[in-house]
Amino acid sequence: MNWESTKQYAYKIFSRLWVQWVHEGTYPAETSGKKMLNTILGTLISSHCPQCMNLNGCCFVKEKAPSPPLHDHCHCYMSDISGINPVVECPTEKFSGYIFSENKSGGKKDLFESWGYNIIDSTVLAQEFTNQAKLAYLSGEYYLGNLDQFGQRISILITLPRKVGTGTVSFVSGWMVYPNGKIILTMPYGGKIHETA
Amino acid sequence: MKQLDRVRLIRERAAYTQAGVKAGDTGIVMGENRCGYCLVYFDGEIVLRDGIYQTSEIDLAVREEDLALLEE
Ligand SMILES: [Zn+2]
């Protein structure tokens, strides 16, 4: 990263206003198990919808956040917070078992290979995605994606140097938002940019 | 269904239609099973727009009973 983009990221990190979704009466779901429990509770107790319960504790920059109320009698609200300490999970299997799979990812394997990346780069790619996603989320450089029973997805632009030829290549990756600044990779390359840039 | 299973949608619901998917559409499970729902990315095309690689895939929470496992 050059000096100019470092300055831009630093400015964004310090100028963003952050909010956290609050669903009173339930605790944030930091783990998949707790998230499943919230989904079950949300299904059993009609006054608590799974979307609201799964959003509980999730953090967003103010201008790129889902907006309560999500439904009639939704008592969720956004609480201002000072910022986040991002935690990023990026499973290597999403590269070795998907992107570079012979029969699962459509033309994505060919695309990555045309850029010079192969299955042996899976671990390196997972680390690079982690680094870029951490900086992007921390500086609010994401696009708000779909929200459903699984919670809120965001899209993050990833840029890689071409190992074949020169220059770089940029593409969209998909992430699930979890409470307290955590995001987990759902899709290494896929989806489109939504309107929240 | 588990992560990275290839699947086909076998039932239509209003939420699926609204998202743009219909019975017969195929995709891949990219989110862990949660209370009977899977996170499925339905197949799309690779698109290069404004210098950024995107796809027309649709990501959607789908009830597990609405999915059939595809043979690999
Ligand atoms: Zn609510």
Side-chain angles (χ1 to χ4, degrees):
Chain A
M1 189 184 298
N2 61 31
W3 172 239
E4 194 52 42
S5 39
T6 304
K7 272 199 306 186
Q8 285 175 9
Y9 271 111
Y11 173 75
K12 282 170 185 167
I13 288 169
F14 289 108
S15 63
R16 293 289 195 192
L17 298 174
W18 283 84
V19 290
Q20 185 170 35
W21 189 281
V22 179
H23 177 79
E24 286 196 327
T26 58
Y27 292 101
E30 297 96 347
T31 64
S32 294
K34 285 183 184 173
K35 207 156 193 175
M36 178 181 276
L37 180 64
N38 278 357
T39 305
I40 294 169
L41 285 172
T43 307
L44 294 177
I45 309 167
S46 60
S47 61
H48 296 285
C49 83
Q51 282 95 331
C52 292
M53 295 178 84
N54 279 333
L55 275 170
N56 193 25
C58 291
C59 304
F60 305 93
V61 292
K62 210 161 196 168
E63 67 272 30
K64 299 180 188 178
S67 319
L70 289 183
H71 53 83
D72 290 344
H73 311 298
C74 174
H75 50 282
C76 298
Y77 60 93
M78 287 295 198
S79 177
D80 291 341
I81 56 173
S82 57
I84 60 161
N85 183 17
V87 175
V88 177
E89 284 185 17
C90 186
T92 306
E93 298 71 36
K94 288 285 172 84
F95 301 92
S96 56
Y98 173 68
I99 288 291
F100 296 113
S101 160
E102 289 292 341
N103 55 358
K104 292 199 178 200
S105 69
K108 296 176 188 175
K109 178 175 183 282
D110 292 341
L111 197 59
F112 271 70
E113 286 179 351
S114 75
W115 301 333
Y117 293 91
N118 209 297
I119 192 166
I120 58 169
D121 298 309
S122 296
T123 306
V124 173
L125 284 171
Q127 188 57 56
E128 181 62 23
F129 273 56
T130 301
N131 294 342
Q132 291 194 28
K134 191 176 280 188
L135 184 58
Y137 189 38
L138 181 65
S139 56
E141 287 297 289
Y142 64 81
Y143 302 85
L144 203 59
N146 289 335
L147 167 66
D148 55 26
Q149 284 85 353
F150 271 80
Q152 180 71 59
R153 266 91 74 195
I154 59 173
S155 299
I156 288 175
L157 275 188
I158 300 289
T159 299
L160 296 176
R162 288 178 186 269
K163 291 168 75 176
V164 173
T166 55
T168 59
V169 62
S170 297
F171 53 91
V172 177
S173 65
W175 303 76
M176 182 74 73
V177 182
Y178 285 81
N180 303 321
K182 182 175 180 176
I183 56 173
I184 299 180
L185 180 78
T186 55
M187 172 56 90
Y189 160 47
K192 57 182 87 63
I193 292 175
H194 292 71
E195 300 305 316
T196 55
Chain B
M1 306 298 167
K2 60 184 190 307
Q3 287 265 12
L4 305 184
D5 276 345
R6 290 278 307 159
V7 292
R8 172 183 284 115
L9 187 68
I10 55 173
R11 178 173 172 171
E12 302 205 352
R13 295 181 190 270
Y16 305 160
T17 307
Q18 195 176 359
V21 297
K22 59 185 186 309
D25 287 353
T26 56
I28 188 161
V29 175
M30 294 303 265
E32 76 272 29
N33 240 326
R34 188 174 294 150
C35 198
Y37 281 87
C38 296
L39 175 62
V40 178
Y41 274 74
F42 286 95
D43 297 342
E45 304 289 323
I46 288 173
V47 181
L48 179 60
R49 188 186 305 146
D50 299 329
I52 296 167
Y53 282 94
Q54 309 182 41
T55 73
S56 56
E57 291 165 301
I58 296 169
D59 58 304
L60 184 65
V62 180
R63 294 189 198 189
E64 181 156 9
E65 66 264 27
D66 298 344
L67 295 169
L69 187 64
L70 290 178
E71 296 292 327
E72 292 182 18

